[in-house]
Amino acid sequence: MIPDATLAALFAAAVAARENAHAPYSRFHVGAAVLSESGAIHAGCNVEVASFPEGWCAETTAIGKLVSAGEKSIRAVVVVAEGDRLTTPCGGCRQRLAEFAAPDTPVHVGGPDGIRRVFTVGELLPASFELEEQP
Ligand code: THU
């Protein structure tokens, strides 16, 4: 569990990042924010390119910013999209989240109006693929 004020800040960061989504092909704007072990918040949006498979998800942008800032551990995640269906991280992003989060790390999903459901990383990616890190 993270404090309510921290979750509110994480949610606000995801909403703000979503405003910058570059999604001219799907028109589906997504924002994501990750809370690091140090308490820093890293947020990102989806970035689409004309060669469709080359685009990437909001979660991937946020994880890239976390790692670029020298951090390796995610304590909580927020994903904000739109529409009636829940937007949960795609398969690739589940694996990326599992790389830097624990199975019990919460993933809050919802829309600009608020969080609608909370999953854990372990629920989203059970029996995840792992490798030993090399010395
Ligand atoms: N997308 C995300 O950014 N995150 C998700 O969790 C699901 C999908 C993006 C990828 C693409 O730019 C658009 O949403 C439509 O699939």
Side-chain angles (χ1 to χ4, degrees), residues 5-113:
T6 306
L7 179 58
L10 198 60
F11 175 73
V15 170
R18 181 174 170 270
E19 297 291 318
N20 296 326
H22 178 72
Y25 307 108
S26 73
R27 296 282 175 209
F28 193 71
H29 296 190
V30 186
V34 297
L35 177 70
S36 77
E37 206 55 53
S38 75
I41 289 173
H42 303 279
C45 59
N46 53 330
V47 181
E48 297 181 352
V49 295
S51 177
F52 296 164
E54 303 304 330
W56 63 92
C57 292
E59 295 89 329
T60 295
T61 305
I63 292 167
K65 288 175 71 176
L66 168 100
V67 177
S68 300
E71 304 213 60
K72 291 279 164 80
S73 186
I74 294 174
R75 281 174 50 201
V77 183
V78 168
V79 181
V80 173
E82 58 207 87
D84 292 338
R85 289 190 184 177
L86 279 183
T87 295
T88 53
C90 78
C93 286
R94 292 177 193 206
Q95 185 74 42
R96 292 185 193 97
L97 288 169
E99 181 77 21
F100 300 104
D104 64 352
T105 299
V107 179
H108 306 260
V109 301
D113 295 336

